[in-house]
Amino acid sequence: MEILHDVKNYLVLENGKAKNYAFQQDIELKDRHLVIKEDAQIQIVYMFTSENEQEFEITVEEDLHVDLIESYEASCQCSYKKTINIKENSKVIRYVENETQNHLNIHLDENVKVYRDAFIKCAYVELNDYSTMMKIQYDLLEEGANTNLRLASLSKDQEKKNYEITLHHQAPNTYGDMDNYGIVQSAATLIIDGIGRIDKGQHQSSTHQTNKIIVFDPQCVAKANPYLYIDEYDVKASHGASVGKIDENHLYYLQSRGLSKQEAMHLVTYGYFLPVLEFITVESLKDRFSQVLKDKVGL
């Protein structure tokens, strides 16, 4: 991803080490740990040219409002571990995009720790040409921790994309919600495991998830697997999962308005992923996401 013109701070990492950066606000980089100390928008580009496993950590200090824009670019197989700490009473709006194009295998392991009265809203955009095993865990560690996630994943050709996304409630009065959207084409595989876990004693917590996958072709493999592990009575928990073809009534309506079937399918696909826009606050990023989505679905 190119550096966005309306974001003041950026960091480019190559194989876990700083290649280029500019901070106009109170942001500190110590080796493989980025600490954000005041309200800010920051863009981080993770580049991979080595197959070694890489690690990185981000900390958002207390009482902040941060827009965090992240993208991955790989020219080889790679594995990455990342920890993000959202300290007390901070609000983070996060956008994560994988731009890898070369049908590589990308393994990502991400752990986000959310503290007292902190809030994080995150969109994961997975539209490009690669296979991945992504393990994402959000730990709601203290009362009032709040997490809202949205995944948009497109898997096509021979790609294999597998996501394990966990909301782990480790304190009372915590809230977690995830909406996972997927589309599978050709002979691709897409598996989404959504996990809600509420530990014993974490009363008045809520965990919710919805997993939806649209299948285009008979050779596709698609699975939407919701799991709830609840060890407390005084909680709220829900899950939903659906895997199926595009609604024929929707296609018929669009074709009756002059679109071909292929055009109608592309338009439905575009609309299916549009809810991600609600998770983007940077205007140039909204424009970029909309254009990338149009390119990927053929509009």
Side-chain angles (χ1 to χ4, degrees):
M1 181 190 296
E2 70 280 0
I3 301 302
L4 300 171
H5 65 84
D6 51 351
V7 175
K8 294 181 178 180
N9 311 283
Y10 69 86
L11 168 64
V12 179
L13 296 166
E14 185 171 349
N15 301 324
K17 296 181 179 181
K19 180 179 181 181
N20 190 18
Y21 64 92
F23 301 147
Q24 297 184 29
Q25 293 168 277
D26 193 1
I27 299 172
E28 184 178 25
L29 179 63
K30 293 182 177 180
D31 192 22
R32 298 172 186 263
H33 188 187
L34 183 74
V35 182
I36 303 171
K37 300 181 179 181
E38 70 170 311
D39 293 355
Q41 293 179 334
I42 181 168
Q43 179 179 0
I44 305 175
V45 179
Y46 304 93
M47 299 176 62
F48 303 94
T49 58
S50 168
E51 295 188 12
N52 295 332
E53 183 176 277
Q54 307 295 335
E55 295 185 9
F56 196 68
E57 183 173 3
I58 300 171
T59 296
V60 177
E61 296 286 13
E62 298 177 357
D63 300 308
L64 300 183
H65 189 155
V66 172
D67 286 292
L68 186 58
I69 301 158
E70 301 171 76
S71 62
Y72 296 93
E73 300 176 9
S75 59
C76 61
Q77 319 296 337
C78 63
S79 180
Y80 206 70
K81 290 186 176 181
K82 182 163 55 179
T83 301
I84 300 178
N85 308 295
I86 313 298
K87 294 298 185 68
E88 182 175 337
N89 204 39
S90 282
K91 180 179 181 180
V92 175
I93 308 298
R94 187 170 174 237
Y95 175 93
V96 183
E97 180 181 339
N98 199 323
E99 291 193 275
T100 300
Q101 297 277 7
N102 301 316
H103 298 285
L104 300 171
N105 288 309
I106 310 297
H107 296 269
L108 301 174
D109 190 344
E110 181 178 277
N111 184 215
V112 182
K113 300 177 184 298
V114 189
Y115 291 86
R116 183 176 302 274
D117 295 323
F119 171 82
I120 181 166
K121 190 174 183 179
C122 182
Y124 294 91
V125 177
E126 299 272 308
L127 304 179
N128 281 327
D129 306 330
Y130 55 89
S131 294
T132 188
M133 172 61 206
M134 182 179 287
K135 186 175 182 180
I136 300 167
Q137 178 158 319
Y138 280 71
D139 292 328
L140 287 73
L141 296 175
E142 296 178 344
E143 288 198 53
N146 188 310
T147 296
N148 196 341
L149 310 179
R150 191 159 289 172
L151 168 70
S153 181
L154 172 63
S155 189
K156 56 191 179 301
D157 300 325
Q158 301 291 326
E159 295 164 11
K160 295 182 179 180
K161 296 186 178 181
N162 192 325
Y163 304 92
E164 180 184 295
I165 305 174
T166 301
L167 300 173
H168 190 182
H169 300 256
Q170 301 176 49
N173 298 296
T174 54
Y175 180 85
D177 191 11
M178 69 171 95
D179 293 301
N180 302 317
Y181 299 91
I183 288 180
V184 197
Q185 300 175 351
S186 305
T189 297
L190 176 60
I191 299 173
I192 301 175
D193 294 327
I195 301 169
R197 187 183 299 273
I198 300 178
D199 292 345
K200 187 172 181 62
Q202 314 315 334
H203 55 273
Q204 290 294 307
S205 290
S206 297
T207 191
H208 306 282
Q209 60 171 290
T210 302
N211 306 286
K212 297 180 179 180
I213 301 177
I214 293 178
V215 177
F216 272 37
D217 301 296
Q219 309 97 304
C220 296
V221 176
K223 297 180 181 180
N225 303 315
Y227 301 94
L228 294 176
Y229 301 98
I230 311 298
D231 287 333
E232 178 60 45
Y233 290 102
D234 185 17
V235 298
K236 295 179 180 179
S238 66
H239 66 74
S242 64
V243 177
K245 296 181 179 180
I246 293 178
D247 191 314
E248 291 294 333
N249 291 329
H250 292 171
L251 293 179
Y252 177 79
Y253 174 81
L254 292 172
Q255 289 176 268
S256 72
R257 295 299 185 269
L259 297 179
S260 68
K261 184 174 182 179
Q262 191 71 15
E263 290 170 335
M265 293 174 72
H266 288 164
L267 191 60
V268 170
T269 301
Y270 178 76
Y272 190 66
F273 285 149
L274 271 184
V276 169
L277 277 175
E278 300 171 14
F279 282 52
I280 304 174
T281 57
V282 178
E283 288 302 318
S284 61
L285 188 59
K286 286 184 179 181
D287 295 339
R288 173 188 161 72
F289 171 75
S290 184
Q291 188 57 53
V292 168
L293 185 53
K294 288 177 181 178
D295 292 344
K296 290 300 176 182
V297 303
L299 292 177

